[in-house]
């Protein structure tokens, strides 16, 4: 996403990517694979020596950020609704550096370098390291440095926080010059239902059409309609059509079982649907293996072309089996000879909205941020912001090899912080379009200080912790869920530039001046800052508060004259003195806010608070605070 007047990128044509692939929306596309080729992992037949998206992931994220407005999401003849990118008027430049096998840092860095040279305004990176990099500081790894120089060039860098949640310090986007994005669950759900011939009804999951009409169809267990002397794996998982007896499966709803094979990806829901289509079944009912003991089923967002329902509730699965067994007649040998159990499956493609959102997704990586591979915590808030990341509809590459479950489709329903990231990138593009002279740090600030702090119902935001919900903290959602309309007009912003980031690096524990010089090409300033918390960010994180610490934040007015009242919600174990408590500020002027943190109680974990600046013209600027108290102030 970029200002077209200064952009100088172009399109590289190649296999499956003719010159016509670049159009009024995609105006540049390149691929980077020298690292992968040198390592022997690149296969031109599979991975395509061109910008062509052989995975699907890139199409999905690009369309989320800047896809056209009002595009019908049509799959198998059904309209799931209308989609729009966050910045539908923006242009897209695609830089392909990842493949179905993953990718190499050399290729990613080369792609970032080219994007900056071409003149992009916003970088959307649904990519990061697989682990915390080795070395004196996570901030000094080659990708973080490349992104620092991108920021220096005026590029807003948006990166996925990672999918390592809900474990703490699972963040894989480390630096304060990067906007690290957490993922939330939305309130849109797809629930199907099944009605049995005895009148019982159960809800379940499955993006699948209903059985036609009002007819009830006979039910048969997979094992009861297969050849008994077959040697094809486990019949219950319905992964292969060969053992099924066509005369028994035609027009029948087949009961399959979600076994350990699905968990270890030896089986998939999409293969069940393929099997049912092959054997002429009316559809299938997926029940839970009682030995599995889980209700988190893989593949529930796969778009299915046959009637189906996944009973991911053990009680419903048991009730179905009880009904089936009571209405199935067997010979003395146990062979089923008559099937009288019936059912009809309702449409599972209609969305419902619960009103409970946003909720931090379980997989979304959590803070605190870390200084190094020893996981020593840093004076940096991560993640920074949260956006929808679960069950996101967006474009897909129909020839994709990235996910066989959606092969051949133009759209896919996908989850991950990768899906949350382009939401924020699109908002950043909108802010950049409205305020073309704003620095990257100011755009980050605008999004963070105006983020929501409660859910749609006005209640505290919750986070998924395994199978439970718990109160969320800034280490789950950063400053909070994005609020685009407020981010356009934040009132005040916090500004940081390249020199400030160098000062930050010089204050990182364990980092010497020579390491900084090698990384950024310049040494530390004579008047060095004492703490990483001195960096002028729209958050305050103190990972090791001993007695007291002074922190200064500088705000710049990007609106007109206004009077602000300053209040502080103190974290447990900390007393905070703030000055000034009231100030007036003219447009384009700056003001220092001085904070004195005094430890009053040792804490065994981080505690959270916030600094709030309320303006006379209705601007509200919120700054999250996270503090770990190691020792109290001496008396």
């Amino acid at each position: 996403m970029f200002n077209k007047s200064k952009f100088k990128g172009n399109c590289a044509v190649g296999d499956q990517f003719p010159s016509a692939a670049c159009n009024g929306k995609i105006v540049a596309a390149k691929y980077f694979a020298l690292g992968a080729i040198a390592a022997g992992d690149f296969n031109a037949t599979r991975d395509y020596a061109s910008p062509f998206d052989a995975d699907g992931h890139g199409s999905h994220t690009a369309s989320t950020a800047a896809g056209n407005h009002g595009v019908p999401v049509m799959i198998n003849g059904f309209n799931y609704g209308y989609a729009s990118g966050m910045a539908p008027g923006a242009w897209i430049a695609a830089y392909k550096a990842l493949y179905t096998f993953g990718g190499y840092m050399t290729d990613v860095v080369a792609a970032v370098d080219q994007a900056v040279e071409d003149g992009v305004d916003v970088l959307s990176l649904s990519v990061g390291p697989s682990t915390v990099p080795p070395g004196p500081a996570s901030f000094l790894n080659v990708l973080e440095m490349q992104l620092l120089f991108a920021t220096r060039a005026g590029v807003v860098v948006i990166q996925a926080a990672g999918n390592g949640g809900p474990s703490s310090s699972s963040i894989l986007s480390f630096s304060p010059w990067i906007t690290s994005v957490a993922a939330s669950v939305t309130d849109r759900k797809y629930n199907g239902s099944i009605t049995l011939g005895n009148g019982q009804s159960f809800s379940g999951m499955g993006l699948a059409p209903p059985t036609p009409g009002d007819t009830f169809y006979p039910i048969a267990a997979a094992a009861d309609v297969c050849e008994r002397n077959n040697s094809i794996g486990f019949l219950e998982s319905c992964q292969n059509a060969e053992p099924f007896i066509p005369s028994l499966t035609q027009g029948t709803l087949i009961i399959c079982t979600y076994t350990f094979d699905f968990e270890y990806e030896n089986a998939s829901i999409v293969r069940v649907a393929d099997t049912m289509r092959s054997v002429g079944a009316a559809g299938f009912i997926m029940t839970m293996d009682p030995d599995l003991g889980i209700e988190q089923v893989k593949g529930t967002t796969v778009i299915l072309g046959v009637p189906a329902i996944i009973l991911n509730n053990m009680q419903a699965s048991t009730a179905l089996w009880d009904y089936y067994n009571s209405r199935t007649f067997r010979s003395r040998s146990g062979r089923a000879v008559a099937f009288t159990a019936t059912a009809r499956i309702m449409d599972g493609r209609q969305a419902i909205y619960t009103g409970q959102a946003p909720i931090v997704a379980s997989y979304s990586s959590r803070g605190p941020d870390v200084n190094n591979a020893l996981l020593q915590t840093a004076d940096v808030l991560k993640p920074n912001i949260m956006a929808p990341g679960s069950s996101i509809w967006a474009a897909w590459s129909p020839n994709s090899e990235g996910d066989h479950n959606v092969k051949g489709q133009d759209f896919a329903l996908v989850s991950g912080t990768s899906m949350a990231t382009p939401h924020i990138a699109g908002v950043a593009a909108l802010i950049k379009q409205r305020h073309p002279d704003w620095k990257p740090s100011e755009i980050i600030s605008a999004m963070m200080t105006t983020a929501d702090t409660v859910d749609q119902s006005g209640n505290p935001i919750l986070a998924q912790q395994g199978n439970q919900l718990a109160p969320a903290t800034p280490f789950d959602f950063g400053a909070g869920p994005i609020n685009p309309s407020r981010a356009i007009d934040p009132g005040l912003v916090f500004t940081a530039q390249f020199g400030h980031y160098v000062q930050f690096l010089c204050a990182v524990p364990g980092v010497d001046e020579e390491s900084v010089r090698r990384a950024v090409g310049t040494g530390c300033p004579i008047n060095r800052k004492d703490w990483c918390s001195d960096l002028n960010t729209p958050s305050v994180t103190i990972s090791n508060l001993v007695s007291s610490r002074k922190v200064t934040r500088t705000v710049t007015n990007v609106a007109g004259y206004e009077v602000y009242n300053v209040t502080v919600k103190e974290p447990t174990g900390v007393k905070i003195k703030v000055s000034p408590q009231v100030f007036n500020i003219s447009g384009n002027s700056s003001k220092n806010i001085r904070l004195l943190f005094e430890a009053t109680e040792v804490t065994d974990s981080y505690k959270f608070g916030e600094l709030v600046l309320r303006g006379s013209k209705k601007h509200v600027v919120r700054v999250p605070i996270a503090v770990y108290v190691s020792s109290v102030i001496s008396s």
Side-chain angles (χ1 to χ4, degrees):
M1 290 170 285
F2 49 86
N3 182 330
K4 202 170 185 179
S5 64
K6 68 180 179 66
F7 185 72
K8 55 184 181 182
N10 53 48
C11 283
V13 299
D15 192 9
Q16 295 293 311
F17 202 87
S19 58
C22 278
N23 47 42
K25 172 58 68 174
I26 299 174
V27 296
K30 299 175 183 178
Y31 78 101
F32 302 82
L34 290 179
I37 292 170
D41 282 331
F42 185 87
N43 181 326
T45 303
R46 176 195 64 197
D47 301 313
Y48 298 92
S50 79
F52 175 72
D53 179 13
D55 180 83
H57 187 275
S59 300
H60 199 278
T61 54
S63 62
T64 301
N68 289 332
H69 174 71
V71 177
V73 180
M74 295 290 298
I75 301 177
N76 297 328
F78 183 82
N79 188 349
Y80 284 88
Y82 293 85
S84 172
M86 296 301 291
W91 292 290
I92 295 172
Y95 299 85
K96 172 182 162 185
L98 296 181
Y99 301 86
T100 52
F101 57 83
Y104 285 82
M105 188 63 75
T106 52
D107 295 329
V108 173
V109 169
V112 171
D113 188 56
Q114 186 65 58
V116 175
E117 184 177 336
D118 286 348
V120 302
D121 287 316
V122 181
L123 267 177
S124 182
L125 295 171
S126 291
V127 58
S130 56
T131 59
V132 181
S138 55
F139 316 108
L140 291 174
N141 85 76
V142 63
L143 180 58
E144 305 288 312
M145 286 295 98
Q146 188 70 17
L147 298 178
L148 174 57
F149 289 117
T151 302
R152 186 184 192 180
V155 179
V156 184
V157 179
I158 316 295
Q159 185 180 30
N163 297 326
S167 300
S168 62
S169 288
S170 51
I171 202 87
L172 290 172
S173 175
F174 313 103
S175 299
W177 48 87
I178 299 168
T179 305
S180 308
V181 185
S184 68
V185 175
T186 71
D187 68 340
R188 184 183 62 215
K189 308 292 181 186
Y190 292 96
N191 289 337
S193 63
I194 183 171
T195 300
L196 307 183
N198 63 1
Q200 288 183 287
S201 291
F202 302 103
S203 62
M205 305 178 74
L207 281 160
T211 47
D214 297 329
T215 305
F216 279 74
Y217 292 79
I219 302 172
D224 287 336
V225 290
C226 284
E227 299 287 353
R228 284 197 155 187
N229 60 351
N230 82 89
S231 59
I232 308 293
F234 294 104
L235 301 176
E236 292 86 352
S237 60
C238 301
Q239 296 296 292
N240 194 301
E242 185 177 334
F244 284 90
I245 304 170
S247 61
L248 299 179
T249 57
Q250 288 288 330
T252 300
L253 291 172
I254 307 300
I255 305 176
C256 306
T257 303
Y258 188 89
T259 63
F260 282 104
D261 289 337
F262 289 85
E263 286 297 293
Y264 295 109
E265 299 183 355
N266 295 323
S268 71
I269 300 293
V270 73
R271 283 206 292 273
V272 176
D274 289 343
T275 298
M276 296 304 110
R277 193 179 292 108
S278 296
V279 302
F284 69 91
I285 307 162
M286 182 66 67
T287 60
M288 294 295 101
D289 184 339
D291 293 330
L292 207 54
I294 65 162
E295 296 183 2
Q296 296 293 323
V297 176
K298 293 183 179 180
T300 54
T301 58
V302 170
I303 301 117
L304 301 170
V306 300
I309 188 167
I310 301 165
L311 297 178
N312 58 322
N313 177 286
M314 192 59 68
Q315 184 177 0
S317 294
T318 301
L320 172 73
W321 279 109
D322 287 345
Y323 168 64
Y324 172 71
N325 289 327
S326 70
R327 300 300 302 270
T328 300
F329 297 93
R330 300 182 181 276
S331 65
R332 289 184 177 181
S333 65
R335 183 77 176 179
V337 294
F339 305 97
T340 63
T342 60
R344 57 183 293 229
I345 294 173
M346 310 304 175
D347 200 332
R349 302 169 297 182
Q350 301 291 342
I352 61 171
Y353 298 88
T354 66
Q356 186 183 18
I359 297 171
V360 184
S362 178
Y363 57 79
S364 186
S365 286
R366 314 298 167 92
D369 195 10
V370 295
N371 282 324
N372 48 46
L374 299 177
L375 301 187
Q376 295 171 331
T377 56
D379 286 356
V380 179
L381 179 67
K382 292 293 174 179
N384 298 110
I385 196 81
M386 185 168 72
S390 292
S391 299
I392 303 300
W393 284 112
W396 198 253
S397 180
N399 294 335
S400 164
E401 297 295 335
D403 188 342
H404 293 283
N405 293 334
V406 289
K407 189 173 177 63
Q409 305 290 358
D410 292 323
F411 299 91
L413 194 64
V414 186
S415 299
T417 53
S418 286
M419 285 62 246
T421 299
H423 283 84
I424 300 300
V427 175
L430 295 174
I431 298 172
K432 183 72 174 179
Q433 191 273 336
R434 178 69 67 88
H435 306 286
D437 297 329
W438 281 14
K439 299 176 178 63
S441 61
E442 294 169 339
I443 293 175
I444 295 173
S445 172
M447 293 189 288
M448 289 181 63
T449 60
T450 59
D452 291 330
T453 57
V454 294
D455 67 14
Q456 292 178 6
S457 303
N459 297 315
I461 295 169
L462 300 175
Q464 293 179 343
Q465 298 282 355
N467 292 324
Q468 302 179 30
L469 292 178
T473 75
F475 287 163
D476 299 319
F477 55 59
I482 185 73
N483 187 313
S485 61
R486 286 206 301 259
I488 293 289
D489 180 25
L492 303 173
V493 294
F494 296 78
T495 302
Q497 301 186 61
F498 181 75
H500 301 121
Y501 295 129
V502 173
Q503 288 222 4
F504 164 85
L505 291 171
C506 293
V508 174
V511 173
D512 58 33
E513 183 169 356
E514 184 56 33
S515 296
V516 174
R517 186 183 300 277
R518 284 197 304 268
V520 300
T522 184
C524 298
I526 296 174
N527 298 318
R528 296 174 62 159
K529 297 290 187 181
D530 293 328
W531 306 100
C532 291
S533 57
D534 291 325
L535 182 64
N536 195 42
T537 58
S539 60
V540 179
T541 301
I542 300 177
S543 60
N544 182 27
L545 180 59
V546 177
S547 297
S548 65
R549 187 181 301 185
K550 294 179 181 178
V551 173
T552 300
R553 289 291 182 267
T554 302
V555 294
T556 299
N557 189 349
V558 291
Y561 175 86
E562 198 160 0
V563 179
Y564 280 88
N565 282 275
V566 184
T567 59
V568 177
K569 179 182 177 183
E570 298 170 332
T572 301
V574 181
K575 182 173 180 59
I576 302 176
K577 296 178 182 177
V578 60
S579 176
Q581 295 182 353
V582 180
F583 65 91
N584 57 64
I585 186 169
S586 301
N588 299 317
S589 297
S590 298
K591 179 74 71 172
N592 289 335
I593 311 295
R594 293 175 293 277
L595 302 161
L596 175 62
F597 289 75
E598 296 180 336
T600 60
E601 176 187 345
V602 174
T603 56
D604 59 358
S605 63
Y606 276 92
K607 304 300 179 184
F608 304 95
E610 63 180 9
L611 173 71
V612 183
L613 295 79
R614 290 184 171 86
S616 56
K617 294 182 179 178
K618 307 304 181 185
H619 290 112
V620 179
V621 179
R622 296 184 184 274
V623 178
I625 296 172
V627 182
Y628 193 112
V629 179
S630 299
S631 66
V632 299
I633 192 167
S634 57
S635 56

